[in-house]
Amino acid sequence: MSSSNASTPGPETRTADSAKVRSLGAAAWASVAVALGMMLFVARVDDFNGPIQKIFYVHVPSAWLAYLSFAIVFVCSIAYLRTESRRWDLLAHSAAEVGVVFTSLVLITGPIWARPIWGTWWQWDARLTSTLVLWLVYVGYLLLRGLSTDPSRSGRLAAVVGIVGFINVPIVHYSVNWWRTLHPVGPTVADPLNNSGFEAPELATFFVALGAFTLLFAWLLSIRVRLGRLADEVEARALAVEGVRDPGPSPRRPPRPAGSET
Amino acid sequence: MSTTAWMVVAFLAVGAGIGGYLLSISARTRVLNRRLEELRGRPPHP
């Protein structure tokens, strides 16, 4: 690691940061409550698919946040490889973790919608398969970080995975246009009425849900970054007190002593 | 199962996913804070 202490702010900064994070959390949860109310009581029930179509209001924002997370990983990974600053590495790692959470939500809510509508949980079509590959790439990114005992080396390797893995994001997004898939094309921000039958209440609900989930994402990312800073502080202090690197909260296998390999 | 029930299952799954992630962050924070307190009470390595 190039500079553990560089990402560890002083007590005053930490108190101000905590207040901002708390406010962001309160705003995020309040907007999620408003969005949930709109999903249930403002957006009308779809004539063709029934109430299950309302999954759309959590599925699409989750997919958007997965894209956003991995775009942050991509940008921060480039910045880390150029500067070796721990700040970028920590942001990339945190965004990857939050991105995996949102991609998991996409992969859970999609099949729940598909089961009653398509009559099957899963189809190996281009959109679903590329999304699963996206999830696997970033789970691999997190495993790579968790398994290595050398944070600097794992940071550089993970940055390369974060840059290369991002190639899959446009593939996931445009898969419904490039290949014939079962997955609906659906509305986009650029073309919100595309095939959707949406009118004002549905569009308002969609954009409120998108905003609420984005605030939730920003809050989750900020608390994950704070956790990373705390881990850096523990590691720096362990190095000062014990003269060894702290293994962190997740049990990592310590390096084998020389000559113990059998 | 009705499509309303599937919708409820999906919303609960989203809630459980985000809640589970928050619990994981909270558990890791607690472990690190405990470790930090423990290290603060010890003198620096000679």
Side-chain angles (χ1 to χ4, degrees):
Chain A
M1 190 178 305
S2 55
S3 55
S4 286
N5 286 332
S7 66
T8 310
E12 296 85 12
T13 317
R14 256 199 312 244
T15 309
D17 279 355
S18 291
K20 278 185 203 159
V21 170
R22 268 200 302 275
S23 310
L24 184 59
W29 284 112
S31 55
V32 166
V34 170
L36 187 62
M38 289 182 76
M39 286 174 213
L40 296 175
F41 305 113
V42 176
R44 292 162 306 164
V45 173
D46 185 80
D47 291 337
F48 183 67
N49 293 319
I52 198 160
Q53 195 58 26
K54 293 190 180 191
I55 286 179
F56 169 87
Y57 301 111
V58 291
H59 180 76
V60 176
S62 299
W64 141 249
L65 291 168
Y67 292 169
L68 180 65
S69 305
F70 300 141
I72 292 173
V73 176
F74 176 72
V75 171
C76 293
S77 297
I78 293 173
Y80 176 66
L81 289 180
R82 285 171 64 97
T83 63
E84 292 254 317
S85 164
R86 168 66 182 145
R87 189 166 63 126
W88 297 117
D89 186 39
L90 175 58
L91 191 53
H93 186 180
S94 305
E97 197 176 285
V98 179
V100 166
V101 171
F102 280 103
T103 313
S104 305
L105 295 182
V106 172
L107 289 170
I108 291 167
T109 52
I112 292 174
W113 176 86
R115 179 69 185 86
I117 302 298
W118 291 346
T120 179
W121 294 102
W122 186 264
Q123 278 288 314
W124 291 101
D125 87 340
R127 171 58 73 82
L128 277 66
T129 307
S130 56
T131 307
L132 181 64
V133 170
L134 186 74
W135 183 81
L136 287 170
V137 165
Y138 286 93
V139 167
Y141 172 100
L142 295 176
L143 287 175
L144 183 69
R145 305 206 61 130
L147 290 175
S148 174
T149 49
D150 177 357
S152 174
R153 186 176 149 75
S154 80
R156 283 196 303 276
L157 278 175
V160 173
V161 175
I163 293 166
V164 176
F166 187 70
I167 293 169
N168 198 18
V169 169
I171 295 175
V172 172
H173 187 72
Y174 290 108
S175 57
V176 286
N177 304 111
W178 293 344
W179 295 285
R180 187 184 296 181
T181 71
L182 267 178
H183 193 282
V185 175
T188 61
V189 174
D191 186 9
L193 295 175
N194 177 27
N195 290 330
S196 64
F198 272 15
E199 287 179 23
E202 291 75 42
L203 278 178
T205 304
F206 172 62
F207 286 112
V208 168
L210 201 62
F213 269 62
T214 306
L215 276 177
L216 189 64
F217 163 81
W219 178 62
L220 289 173
L221 184 61
S222 60
I223 59 174
R224 179 57 187 82
V225 167
R226 196 171 59 179
L227 175 71
R229 285 184 182 149
L230 182 62
D232 285 351
E233 193 178 342
V234 169
E235 192 176 302
R237 196 163 284 265
L239 209 56
V241 170
E242 298 173 341
V244 293
R245 203 177 281 288
D246 196 85
S250 54
R252 275 191 208 162
R253 195 176 299 160
R256 283 182 185 175
S260 69
E261 291 88 354
T262 49
Chain B
M1 200 151 98
S2 72
T3 61
T4 307
W6 283 115
M7 181 193 75
V8 172
V9 169
F11 282 12
L12 288 176
V14 170
I18 292 171
Y21 183 56
L22 284 173
L23 283 178
S24 141
I25 288 186
S26 155
R28 285 183 281 172
T29 305
R30 261 201 311 275
V31 170
L32 284 170
N33 275 326
R34 248 200 319 265
R35 175 82 176 126
L36 191 61
E37 285 309 308
E38 183 193 315
L39 289 167
R40 276 186 178 143
R42 286 158 61 175
H45 183 66

